[in-house]
């Protein structure tokens, strides 16, 4: 089985971290290929960045059309619907995967993300996925995404502090880490706080494997139908359906 994990931002060090977490979660025999686009934002922090990361995401998927499944390694599930239109293989967003996994191991879960500007997008997705009532609260640690890549940063300590607040003040029973760049922190933080701490990258890989093993593919009836052939002009011409 081969799974393409796409980090929609352009920071290669984060992609390497994500790839290691994904391969670590994968079953023996599953090959994980982690990539990021060459063009776009270095980090995705809010709606504006998200828009400019989606063309690169789709382009990376189109470069490798024969994958068994795809994982979108941005917690906002950036471009998830568009990606599902682009292939019949399963496409899993790490946010949706983590929310569903958390709901299976806890009655109430908290989310700890990076900046406050990311909270509305996460809350929107929770409502869309029907899991808002299971979420105790979405908290921001005020850690910028790229701080997670800085040696010597106190980012993990600030994230841990916010996790402790979620457990104490929100009565969360499990914690979802709200950024792919936090993928390497889940195991240690879970040991420190004594409750499940979920990394969406690992959750998404396991769900992708399961869907492939069950022979389930993305429905092409309705909203996830393939895009209609048409011309795209200018810089997006190479992404036109059928191009």
């Amino acid at each position: 089985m081969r799974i393409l994990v796409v980090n929609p931002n352009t920071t290669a060090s984060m992609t390497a971290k994500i790839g290691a977490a994904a391969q670590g979660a994968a079953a023996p025999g599953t090959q994980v290929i982690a990539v990021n686009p060459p063009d776009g934002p270095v980090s995705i922090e809010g709606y504006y960045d998200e828009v400019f990361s989606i063309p690169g995401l789709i382009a990376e998927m189109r470069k490798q059309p024969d994958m068994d499944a795809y994982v979108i390694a941005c917690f906002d599930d950036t471009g998830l619907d568009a990606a599902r239109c682009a292939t019949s293989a399963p496409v899993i967003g790490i946010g949706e995967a983590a929310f569903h996994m958390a709901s299976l191991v806890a009655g109430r879960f908290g989310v700890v993300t990076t900046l406050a500007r990311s909270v509305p997008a996460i809350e929107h997705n929770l409502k869309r996925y029907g899991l808002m009532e299971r979420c105790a609260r979405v908290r921001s640690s005020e850690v910028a995404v790229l701080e997670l890549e800085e040696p010597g940063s106190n980012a993990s300590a600030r994230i841990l502090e916010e996790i402790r607040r979620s457990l104490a003040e929100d009565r969360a029973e499990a914690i979802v880490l709200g950024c792919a760049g936090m993928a390497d922190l889940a195991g240690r933080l879970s040991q420190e706080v004594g409750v499940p701490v979920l990394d969406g990258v690992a959750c998404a890989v396991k769900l992708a494997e399961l869907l492939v093993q069950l022979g389930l593919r993305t429905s092409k009836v309705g909203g996830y139908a393939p895009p209609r052939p048409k011309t795209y002009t200018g810089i997006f011409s190479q992404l036109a359906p059928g191009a």
Side-chain angles (χ1 to χ4, degrees):
M1 184 186 309
R2 295 195 303 161
I3 300 175
L4 185 70
V5 177
V6 184
N7 169 20
N9 73 42
T10 61
T11 299
S13 60
M14 187 175 296
T15 303
K17 181 196 300 184
I18 290 167
Q23 190 66 67
T30 296
Q31 179 185 9
V32 171
I33 302 167
V35 298
N36 60 261
D39 303 307
V42 296
S43 62
I44 300 171
E45 295 171 315
Y47 299 123
Y48 191 85
D49 293 337
E50 181 179 4
V51 168
F52 291 99
S53 69
I54 295 174
L57 161 69
I58 300 299
E60 291 302 316
M61 291 178 61
R62 291 184 63 172
K63 289 176 185 176
Q64 304 196 60
D66 298 326
M67 294 289 113
D68 294 298
Y70 299 84
V71 167
I72 298 177
C74 176
F75 197 78
D76 292 352
D77 291 341
T78 297
L80 178 58
D81 289 328
R84 286 176 173 163
C85 293
T87 179
S88 60
V91 183
I92 310 296
I94 67 169
E96 186 173 18
F99 298 148
H100 282 293
M101 288 287 204
S103 74
L104 299 177
V105 297
R108 290 161 54 87
F109 60 87
V111 179
V112 175
T113 189
T114 50
L115 301 177
R117 66 185 308 124
S118 296
V119 172
I122 294 171
E123 291 178 337
H124 171 81
N125 284 345
L126 282 162
K127 291 174 184 176
R128 179 186 169 203
Y129 302 148
L131 290 169
M132 189 64 182
E133 291 186 0
R134 299 289 296 277
C135 180
R137 182 176 172 183
V138 181
R139 287 178 168 268
S140 61
S141 60
E142 294 310 307
V143 171
V145 170
L146 293 184
E147 286 187 70
L148 297 164
E149 303 302 298
E150 295 177 4
S153 165
N154 68 346
S156 63
R158 288 148 65 192
I159 292 165
L160 175 60
E161 181 181 358
E162 209 59 41
I163 288 173
R164 294 193 188 281
R165 286 184 180 141
S166 181
L167 298 174
E169 299 174 18
D170 308 331
R171 295 183 295 114
E173 300 162 9
I175 299 294
V176 172
L177 296 177
C179 178
M182 300 177 183
D184 59 333
L185 303 178
R188 177 174 62 81
L189 292 174
S190 185
Q191 289 183 342
E192 289 203 39
V193 299
V195 302
V197 176
L198 291 86
D199 154 47
V201 174
C203 294
V205 167
K206 300 312 291 185
L207 284 177
E209 288 180 325
L210 179 61
L211 289 173
V212 173
Q213 290 167 354
L214 292 174
L216 295 173
R217 297 176 70 78
T218 301
S219 174
K220 296 290 114 178
V221 176
Y224 293 148
R228 296 181 62 197
K230 66 183 67 174
T231 299
Y232 286 12
T233 59
I235 63 173
F236 298 125
S237 60
Q238 297 301 312
L239 292 177

